[in-house]
Amino acid sequence: MIATTVMTNEANISRGLFVLKREGKFDWILFCVTVCLVAFGVVMVYSASSYSAEINYGNKYFFMFKQIFGAVLGIAAIAILSITDYHLLNKFRYIILAVSIILLVLVFIPGIGIESYGAKRWINLPFFSMQASEVSKFGFIIFAASYMAKHHDKMTKFKGILPVLLVGGVICLLIILEPNMSITLCMIMLMFVMLYIGGARIKHFIIMAVPVIALVPILIIIEPYRLNRLMAFLDPWQSPLGEGYQLIQSFYSLGSGGLFGLGLFNSRQKYLFLPFSESDFIFSIIGEELGLFGCIIVVAAFFLLIFRAVLIAQKAPDRFGCFLASGIAAIIAIQVLVNIAVVTGSIPPTGLPLPFISAGSTSLTVFCGSIGILESISLSSHKSVECLTQLKLPREKKHKDKNEKKSQGLKTNKT
């Protein structure tokens, strides 16, 4: 009876119908690391933005209050999504994808989309603004995970990966039209990682890499400032008051921090020297105030978070859960690596927030929501995997008993 029930559950899991009880473990390490990063982010946003907020908005707590609002929504998202069966995301994947694309389109509608620094990236809502591209990344992850789980046997063929490429291409096109080069590159990297996890072959990546490489000069020609940023990356001191200014100030910030930093709230670069110090370049302020050791601790926290996400992906009871957790781990890793690489001058400057820490309610909420999804997978994983590993035990025991009876029968006949 038990073996029959377990076999039925395994069949249901293979069809994407999860019927096992949610008897897994809540990943407290993942949750605690996330809460610590969020709380640390609130403190650092206040430290990095208090002076500029006082000058521009007359309230030094302006960005901190917004970050606290995002943190509250984020913790609520973790609580709700962790107790929700993640297979509902599979069921509503097309709706989630459609909403993601609609939000990207809404930014171009006058009166709805907000333009800032020459880019239309935000949607004006009654009480706050939303960055549509932050939502679209996770909409793509859910769709790609669902498709690859259902059509895993087709992922080794180029025809099989076309739907993922098509959806990812549409999202990238809408984001680059904002324009938002950084999120577009992030999406391309995410798409490649998801396809690799799904089983795409190396030759497929070579085929895909050709148009991507050819697209780079076209994007530079369309927006000449990108060439200026590239030249500033190669030698920022050629234009210390122009395109190289921000990178130079970031270097000053990191360099002045030394090993132990100047102390919390003691940054000098935040006094309007380093642009976007509370968002894209907040890691520079961390380095200035907490030093190299503080930066190492932050990187270690991200490494632990990503490591726990990968473990959850490995223990997922089905392909959808595995691909979903892998995609979440990938997008966190990509943004952390790109943000730190930009701040340290390892790659050309581009605007990309540091997950859980940079100012931005939308980014904070959706990333926290992704942690809730990971917790949901974790709660569904451990006991289920143990249950599935016991499938062979009744058969093996039965087979062993049968062999023992046969051997005993042979001994009796010989006697």
Side-chain angles (χ1 to χ4, degrees):
M1 180 68 179
I2 295 175
T4 304
T5 303
V6 173
M7 291 175 66
T8 303
N9 286 331
E10 184 189 43
N12 286 330
I13 288 176
S14 66
R15 293 196 301 268
L17 302 174
F18 192 80
V19 298
L20 293 173
K21 293 182 179 179
R22 292 167 58 82
E23 298 176 348
K25 297 178 181 178
F26 188 87
D27 195 327
W28 285 103
I29 296 178
L30 176 67
F31 177 75
C32 290
V33 172
T34 302
V35 171
C36 288
L37 285 173
V38 171
F40 176 71
V42 171
V43 174
M44 291 310 304
V45 165
Y46 167 72
S47 178
S49 67
S50 58
Y51 182 77
S52 62
E54 180 75 30
I55 296 298
N56 297 319
Y57 301 98
N59 181 7
K60 66 179 182 179
Y61 302 108
F62 178 80
F63 288 103
M64 188 190 75
F65 285 154
K66 293 180 68 175
Q67 193 73 357
I68 292 175
F69 176 71
V72 171
L73 290 180
I75 299 301
I78 294 176
I80 294 172
L81 290 173
S82 63
I83 62 175
T84 303
D85 189 347
Y86 69 93
H87 288 90
L88 287 176
L89 298 175
N90 187 22
K91 183 177 180 181
F92 297 108
R93 61 191 181 277
Y94 293 118
I95 296 177
I96 295 172
L97 179 62
V99 170
S100 301
I101 294 176
I102 290 172
L103 289 176
L104 288 174
V105 174
L106 288 177
V107 301
F108 300 105
I109 299 178
I112 298 179
I114 301 175
E115 184 172 347
S116 180
Y117 297 98
K120 297 179 179 179
R121 303 174 184 176
W122 294 267
I123 297 175
N124 188 21
L125 297 175
F127 300 102
F128 60 96
S129 59
M130 173 189 292
Q131 191 169 356
S133 57
E134 293 292 339
V135 179
S136 65
K137 290 181 294 188
F138 292 93
F140 171 76
I141 290 173
I142 293 169
F143 168 80
S146 176
Y147 173 84
M148 293 190 305
K150 185 177 181 180
H151 303 282
H152 61 91
D153 55 332
K154 300 178 181 179
M155 295 302 295
T156 55
K157 300 178 182 179
F158 189 77
K159 185 178 179 180
I161 68 175
L162 281 178
V164 178
L165 287 175
L166 179 61
V167 171
V170 170
I171 293 175
C172 287
L173 177 62
L174 291 172
I175 294 175
I176 197 63
L177 289 176
E178 293 180 353
N180 194 332
M181 184 72 170
S182 56
I183 298 295
T184 303
L185 294 176
C186 181
M187 270 295 306
I188 292 173
M189 288 188 283
L190 173 63
M191 183 166 54
F192 280 19
V193 171
M194 291 292 289
L195 289 173
Y196 177 77
I197 295 171
R201 296 182 177 181
I202 299 299
K203 65 179 182 180
H204 297 154
F205 292 102
I206 296 174
I207 295 172
M208 290 184 289
V210 173
V212 172
I213 295 173
L215 189 63
V216 172
I218 297 175
L219 294 175
I220 292 176
I221 293 173
I222 294 174
E223 296 289 348
Y225 77 89
R226 291 173 183 147
L227 179 60
N228 296 332
R229 284 191 177 184
L230 180 59
M231 299 306 295
F233 160 71
L234 297 175
D235 187 4
W237 281 272
Q238 282 188 353
S239 56
L241 299 178
E243 291 293 337
Y245 175 80
Q246 192 172 27
L247 187 55
I248 291 174
Q249 298 305 315
S250 179
F251 289 160
Y252 288 157
S253 184
L254 290 170
S256 62
L259 291 177
F260 302 102
L262 303 177
L264 190 62
F265 307 126
N266 291 331
S267 167
R268 294 188 291 260
Q269 294 302 111
K270 67 183 180 182
Y271 292 104
L272 303 183
F273 290 105
L274 179 61
F276 304 107
S277 58
E278 76 283 350
S279 54
D280 299 338
F281 280 77
I282 197 169
F283 193 78
S284 300
I285 304 299
I286 294 173
E288 185 180 8
E289 295 188 349
L290 304 180
L292 177 62
F293 287 124
C295 291
I296 291 174
I297 292 173
V298 172
V299 172
F302 277 117
F303 179 83
L304 180 58
L305 187 148
I306 295 166
F307 176 72
R308 299 303 300 184
V310 172
L311 284 182
I312 290 173
Q314 291 177 337
K315 296 179 180 180
D318 57 5
R319 287 189 178 89
F320 175 65
C322 177
F323 293 148
L324 187 59
S326 299
I328 292 171
I331 190 59
I332 295 173
I334 289 169
Q335 288 209 197
V336 170
L337 288 174
V338 172
N339 180 273
I340 295 177
V342 167
V343 167
T344 56
S346 302
I347 62 174
T350 183
L352 196 65
L354 187 63
F356 306 104
I357 295 180
S358 290
S361 300
T362 305
S363 174
L364 181 56
T365 303
V366 295
F367 271 105
C368 284
S370 70
I371 299 300
I373 295 172
L374 289 175
E375 293 290 4
S376 177
I377 299 172
S378 180
L379 284 168
S380 305
S381 297
H382 302 281
K383 292 295 182 181
S384 306
V385 173
E386 291 174 6
C387 187
L388 290 179
T389 56
Q390 294 173 1
L391 277 171
K392 297 181 180 179
L393 294 181
R395 301 175 188 175
E396 291 175 353
K397 186 176 180 182
K398 184 178 179 180
H399 186 65
K400 184 177 180 182
D401 293 342
K402 188 176 180 181
N403 288 337
E404 287 179 355
K405 288 180 180 179
K406 284 184 178 181
S407 61
Q408 289 176 0
L410 289 174
K411 289 180 180 179
T412 304
N413 291 334
K414 287 180 180 179
T415 304

